[in-house]
Amino acid sequence: MSENFVERARYLCSLGGAAATVTALPGGIPILHSASGCAGNFAWTQNGGSGLQVGGYCGGLTVPSSNIQETEVVFGGEDRLREEITSTLKVMQGGLYVVLTGCVPEVIGDDIFAVVNDFREEGVPIIGAVTGGFRGDSYWGYDLVLQALTKDYVAKGSAKVKGRVNLWGVVPYMDPFWRGNLEGARHLLELLGLEVNSFFTPADTLEGIRAAGSAELNIVLSDLYGQGAAALFREKHGTPFVTTSLPIGVSASEAFLRQVGAALELDPELVQRVIDREKRHYYQILEPLTDCYNDLDLQRYAVVVGDANYAVALTRFLADDLGWLPVLTVVTDRIHENGQPAIAARVEHLASGFSTNVVFESDASQVLGHLNQVWPRAAGQKYYNAFSPAFVLGSSLDRELALQIGAPHLSVSFPVANRAVLDRGYTGFRGGLRLAEDVFGQIVANR
């Protein structure tokens, strides 16, 4: 009998992801209808995993919560929720209030929408989302919030506006570099002359989110995150969507621009001019490093450990842009077997021709075992091809692996506890330059 457990999980529950997502919305105020302690657990997990990004206005330990107790379990918690919403409206100034459910009120059958609709009838900008922690992980909580916005906040029947798009797939706080990654992808689209609604950047507004139904295309930067919401958006608002991987570096950014250009039937010459200009800039900045790359032999074997977004994007960047050899790619999301082939296909056909080994493993303690399988050394073998020089791109949990194999390490994927992150990001041509800078910086850090 096998045990199915996860040691050192790399995510929160769906309620935690939903609360972080609402906090990232412009003027978003989450109201938890849950047991006491939930918000505290989210806050300290973010503190240790999101590059010190925790708190802010009405986030972290200051989030409103009904903190239901035994009385509500027996008699129902709807009156307590109504009281909490009323108090929040008096104390917290926001543009959109979102009620999020925890496990306990869902188990006892509280109807949050009956309460929410009473306030909506009074003109309060409030919606609800069913986000009990047992429904999934924090990435699914992000999707559930987008679905709630799609159903109950985005205006219906909006006429499509040529050149307007929505940008999804980067999960706030679960991607510690979410701000910079969204802005980098947004910048790429704006180079094509598009009007971008990315929901979570300082350039976004609630008015823009409410008008999101007027977009002619949804762009999802993930094979996993935001897919459910994009499908629902297509059903409710008639907006098609395209799926692409996180565009990190020159190769992925070029492919991203061409895919979006084709989907929107943009002028191919415009797309080509943008690509040519950005590539000139990219290689002009990178060129001075090439002598040191060759003379110091900065090529490395690599192990990539990350969520579905980063595992794919980092592997492609290392192989196609840096010329490295990522021999093992570990996807840490718990993905059903039916969904694994689409993600694996992203890195099985690399432009460089290099072939990596893709493993789906959510238990951090098993990564070294997978590396030993793909790079075996027979017992007592005197001469062998050493896995060196090597590099580990992953999370803070993978520092131990890096120490075991004697390799430098860079934390990129959640949890990132050993870096402070503000608006740094790795998407786009210029994001690829920043990632190269960080990677090579780790290699020479102890010179």
Side-chain angles (χ1 to χ4, degrees), residues 278-290:
E278 292 300 306
K279 289 177 73 171
R280 278 196 303 272
H281 176 272
Y282 179 92
Y283 288 115
Q284 184 176 358
I285 299 298
L286 192 65
E287 183 182 14
L289 185 67
T290 55

Side-chain angles (χ1 to χ4, degrees), residues 414-435:
F414 187 92
V416 173
N418 59 341
R419 300 180 67 181
V421 182
L422 294 176
D423 66 347
R424 195 168 189 79
Y426 295 127
T427 52
F429 296 88
R430 304 184 188 196
L433 291 173
R434 283 190 290 272
L435 181 55

Side-chain angles (χ1 to χ4, degrees), residues 19 22-24 27-31 55-64 88 91-94 97:
V22 174
T23 302
I29 304 292
I31 301 175
Y57 184 74
C58 205
L61 297 176
T62 63
V63 63
T88 301
V91 176
M92 296 295 186
Q93 182 177 1
Y97 300 84

Side-chain angles (χ1 to χ4, degrees), residues 5 16 93 103 149 164 266 381 385 441:
F5 63 91
Q93 182 177 1
C103 298
L149 291 170
R164 180 177 292 175
L266 301 179
Q381 185 176 355
N385 186 13

Side-chain angles (χ1 to χ4, degrees), residues 214-393:
S214 62
E216 63 171 335
L217 184 69
N218 280 341
I219 301 168
V220 186
L221 303 177
S222 175
D223 290 291
L224 197 59
Y225 318 138
Q227 289 289 319
L232 180 65
F233 204 97
R234 180 177 57 190
E235 174 188 335
K236 297 292 185 180
H237 302 283
T239 304
F241 70 95
V242 295
T243 299
T244 180
S245 58
L246 202 64
I248 295 179
V250 62
S251 300
S253 296
E254 179 178 355
F256 173 72
L257 290 173
R258 294 194 188 282
Q259 182 179 358
V260 172
L264 292 173
E265 299 181 347
L266 301 179
D267 180 3
E269 293 185 1
L270 166 65
V271 176
Q272 189 62 53
R273 285 197 301 272
V274 169
I275 291 172
D276 290 344
R277 183 177 66 246
E278 292 300 306
K279 289 177 73 171
R280 278 196 303 272
H281 176 272
Y282 179 92
Y283 288 115
Q284 184 176 358
I285 299 298
L286 192 65
E287 183 182 14
L289 185 67
T290 55
D291 284 346
C292 286
Y293 183 97
N294 292 318
D295 294 344
L296 299 179
D297 191 16
L298 295 180
Q299 187 185 48
R300 292 292 186 268
Y301 294 110
V303 177
V304 177
V305 186
D307 59 35
N309 280 8
Y310 274 121
V312 170
L314 294 176
T315 299
R316 293 178 65 185
F317 173 77
L318 294 181
D320 295 344
D321 292 355
L322 289 194
W324 283 19
L325 308 173
V327 300
L328 177 63
T329 298
V330 181
V331 183
T332 56
D333 296 276
R334 305 188 75 176
I335 304 171
H336 192 276
E337 291 182 359
N338 294 337
Q340 294 178 5
I343 296 173
R346 293 280 188 184
V347 291
E348 288 176 347
H349 305 288
L350 298 170
S352 62
F354 184 78
S355 178
T356 185
N357 297 277
V358 184
V359 174
F360 292 85
E361 177 61 74
S362 55
D363 192 337
S365 65
Q366 301 300 313
V367 177
L368 181 59
H370 290 296
L371 177 60
N372 290 334
Q373 289 181 7
V374 302
W375 200 275
R377 176 188 177 187
Q381 185 176 355
K382 184 176 181 180
Y383 301 104
Y384 63 98
N385 186 13
F387 187 68
S388 178
F391 198 99
V392 176
L393 267 81

Side-chain angles (χ1 to χ4, degrees), residues 22-253:
V22 174
T23 302
L25 289 169
I29 304 292
I31 301 175
L32 306 189
H33 186 39
S34 65
S36 59
C38 289
N41 289 333
F42 307 153
W44 294 120
T45 302
Q46 279 184 225
N47 178 55
S50 300
L52 306 186
Q53 298 175 79
V54 63
Y57 184 74
C58 205
L61 297 176
T62 63
V63 63
S65 175
S66 60
N67 292 331
I68 60 174
Q69 304 291 333
E70 289 85 350
T71 300
E72 288 76 31
V73 171
V74 174
F75 298 103
E78 293 175 18
D79 288 340
R80 176 69 192 94
L81 173 60
R82 184 174 283 104
E83 178 184 25
E84 183 62 31
I85 294 174
T86 301
S87 299
T88 301
L89 294 174
K90 293 178 180 178
V91 176
M92 296 295 186
Q93 182 177 1
L96 175 63
Y97 300 84
V98 185
V99 176
L100 306 171
T101 57
C103 298
V104 175
E106 289 198 38
V107 171
I108 64 177
D110 280 356
D111 185 355
I112 66 163
F113 295 105
V115 178
V116 166
N117 287 336
D118 288 343
F119 285 92
R120 287 171 65 92
E121 291 175 358
E122 297 174 5
V124 176
I126 186 171
I127 62 173
V130 179
T131 57
F134 53 74
R135 293 184 175 274
D137 61 22
S138 42
Y139 298 98
W140 181 237
Y142 161 80
D143 203 301
L144 291 173
V145 170
L146 290 182
Q147 290 184 39
L149 291 170
T150 298
K151 291 184 292 185
D152 298 326
Y153 190 72
V154 176
K156 295 178 174 61
S158 300
K160 302 303 179 188
V161 176
K162 183 69 174 175
R164 180 177 292 175
V165 298
N166 298 323
L167 182 65
W168 290 351
V170 176
V171 183
Y173 299 101
M174 292 300 98
D175 178 354
F177 301 89
W178 62 278
R179 288 189 175 92
N181 284 340
L182 277 174
E183 290 182 346
R186 181 186 181 112
H187 176 67
L188 287 177
L189 296 172
E190 289 174 342
L191 291 174
L192 297 177
L194 301 177
E195 181 185 349
V196 186
N197 185 4
S198 47
F199 282 50
F200 303 105
T201 72
D204 291 299
T205 64
L206 287 175
E207 291 75 17
I209 295 174
R210 186 146 179 85
S214 62
E216 63 171 335
L217 184 69
N218 280 341
I219 301 168
V220 186
L221 303 177
S222 175
D223 290 291
L224 197 59
Y225 318 138
Q227 289 289 319
L232 180 65
F233 204 97
R234 180 177 57 190
E235 174 188 335
K236 297 292 185 180
H237 302 283
T239 304
F241 70 95
V242 295
T243 299
T244 180
S245 58
L246 202 64
I248 295 179
V250 62
S251 300
S253 296

